[in-house]
Amino acid sequence: MVFEASETCLQMLEMERTARGQTIPYQKPIQGERHLPHPLHVFSGYTLTLPQVRLQTRTPDAPKGMFNTLAHIIKTDSLMGLYRGLSASLLRQLTYSTTRFGIYSELKETFSTARHQPSLPSLIAMASTSGFFGGIAGNPADVLNVRMQNDRSLPSNQRRNYKNAIDGLYRMAKEEGWRSLFRGVGANSMRAVLMTASQLASYDSFKRLLLEKAGMEDGLTTHFSASCLAGFVATTVCSPVDVIKTRVMSAHSNEGLLVLLKRIYREEGVRWAFRGWVPSFVRLGPHTVATFLFLEQHKSLYRRVKGVGDDERI
């Protein structure tokens, strides 16, 4: 599957230049040009994923706030404790992100032509579809990631003590059955739909606005600005579902979704929906920026390596 992160932008530039009396050929994707999740995306914000999970699952006597939680983790588990569950997070990127990015790009390529680009509702529909399948593909690694990050906050007798991602998947399937790998898949798929729609579709839309309305050039400044805005939208839209997903996956009991919602609303009010928003945004912002900057530069580098110029028809 091919991810063309800037195909929409190229089509917009063609339309804009055509309107000015200039013409450039439409660039179809280069066969074999691939964009896969990069480890940079994980490391760029991973240290803030752990306090986010801890805040979303915190007990009344646990530290409050992002900085207090960070300090508590470092004090009780050293600096290396901030990277607990890293192997599961890498596995999640290889399954969840590859699937959603690949399907989204294929759908966008299918419904794009030299004279027509998908509208915002169409982009949202494509992103939602790809996010749904990405959520299913990445669910086993996501369950494992949440458990490994939350493990040290539990009493000693309740800790699972997974050694790494492979050990965790094996033990989950052996001790709890294969169904445990898809625990919370409904909430996770819903979050993946919201995340992909609010991240990928909003990035393309913000980029289009910056190019057409703000008169910006197709370069790093535009990519950075559009990805920052997309990160803010994605964090806010996904926060309520993210909290639910984290609590379902980290729970030791099989509490129903409606029962869970009633309980946390009764205990915490409406504030539960945005618990952990700050570390989530501080993490997802750089993650989104790193993702799209890498993809845009990767595409440009790939064209140069292949000797394909911007003015050549593919």
Side-chain angles (χ1 to χ4, degrees):
M1 292 179 293
V2 183
F3 180 60
E4 298 299 326
S6 57
E7 180 184 358
T8 301
C9 171
L10 294 171
Q11 296 174 26
M12 289 188 294
L13 288 175
E14 179 193 8
M15 295 174 66
E16 181 179 356
R17 293 181 188 180
T18 301
R20 295 177 181 175
Q22 305 174 5
T23 58
I24 58 174
Y26 171 58
Q27 295 179 327
K28 287 294 289 180
I30 304 173
Q31 184 67 30
E33 182 179 16
R34 299 190 179 274
H35 302 273
L36 299 176
H38 194 271
L40 173 63
H41 306 163
V42 180
F43 288 105
S44 63
Y46 185 81
T47 55
L48 292 173
T49 305
L50 188 58
Q52 175 193 344
V53 170
R54 295 285 179 88
L55 284 171
Q56 291 173 342
T57 59
R58 66 178 291 273
T59 56
D61 58 339
K64 298 181 180 179
M66 181 179 71
F67 293 108
N68 289 334
T69 303
L70 275 171
H72 178 74
I73 294 171
I74 295 173
K75 180 180 179 180
T76 58
D77 205 16
S78 76
L79 282 172
M80 292 305 297
L82 296 175
Y83 288 92
R84 188 170 295 279
L86 180 60
S87 61
S89 185
L90 289 169
L91 179 61
R92 178 178 179 271
Q93 288 295 327
L94 291 173
T95 52
Y96 163 67
S97 292
T98 299
T99 302
R100 69 187 185 116
F101 284 172
I103 295 178
Y104 177 72
S105 66
E106 290 294 331
L107 290 174
K108 192 168 67 170
E109 177 187 343
T110 300
F111 293 100
S112 298
T113 65
R115 298 294 178 183
H116 173 74
Q117 54 187 327
S119 62
L120 177 58
S122 298
L123 290 174
I124 292 175
M126 296 174 194
S128 298
T129 301
S130 59
F132 176 78
F133 288 106
I136 295 175
N139 200 81
D142 215 353
V143 175
L144 184 61
N145 187 37
V146 169
R147 290 186 174 189
M148 293 180 71
Q149 291 178 334
N150 191 50
D151 210 37
R152 295 288 292 183
S153 66
L154 299 173
S156 300
N157 61 334
Q158 295 182 18
R159 294 177 184 173
R160 299 177 174 94
N161 296 318
Y162 298 140
K163 297 177 182 179
N164 50 54
I166 303 301
D167 177 65
L169 290 175
Y170 173 76
R171 284 182 51 192
M172 284 171 60
K174 180 180 179 181
E175 298 170 6
E176 305 174 47
W178 66 269
R179 293 181 183 274
S180 65
L181 299 175
F182 294 93
R183 184 171 189 172
V185 67
N188 196 34
S189 297
M190 186 186 304
R191 178 191 180 276
V193 167
L194 294 175
M195 173 61 74
T196 308
S198 58
Q199 192 178 50
L200 302 188
S202 66
Y203 174 78
D204 280 339
S205 298
F206 282 130
K207 186 177 175 182
R208 179 185 306 174
L209 288 173
L210 292 174
L211 289 169
E212 294 183 346
K213 304 299 182 182
M216 298 178 67
E217 297 292 333
D218 181 21
L220 284 175
T221 302
T222 301
H223 304 159
F224 179 82
S225 301
S227 58
C228 283
L229 292 170
F232 179 84
V233 172
T235 304
T236 304
V237 170
C238 295
S239 183
V241 180
D242 205 19
V243 174
I244 295 173
K245 181 209 73 170
T246 300
R247 297 199 179 188
V248 169
M249 290 182 173
S250 62
H252 284 270
S253 60
N254 293 319
E255 189 176 27
L257 181 59
L258 292 179
V259 176
L260 172 65
L261 288 173
K262 290 180 180 179
R263 180 174 61 79
I264 60 177
Y265 177 75
R266 183 177 62 253
E267 296 175 354
E268 306 173 37
V270 295
R271 290 183 299 176
W272 71 266
F274 297 99
R275 186 177 292 278
W277 187 94
V278 173
S280 181
F281 175 69
V282 176
R283 175 189 67 84
L284 189 58
H287 178 277
T288 304
V289 171
T291 297
F292 288 112
L293 288 185
F294 174 79
L295 289 172
E296 296 279 15
Q297 294 305 308
H298 180 215
K299 181 177 186 298
S300 177
L301 177 62
Y302 192 92
R303 286 183 176 276
R304 290 200 296 269
V305 170
K306 288 294 184 179
V308 180
D310 292 341
D311 58 344
E312 293 185 46
R313 185 183 297 273
I314 305 301

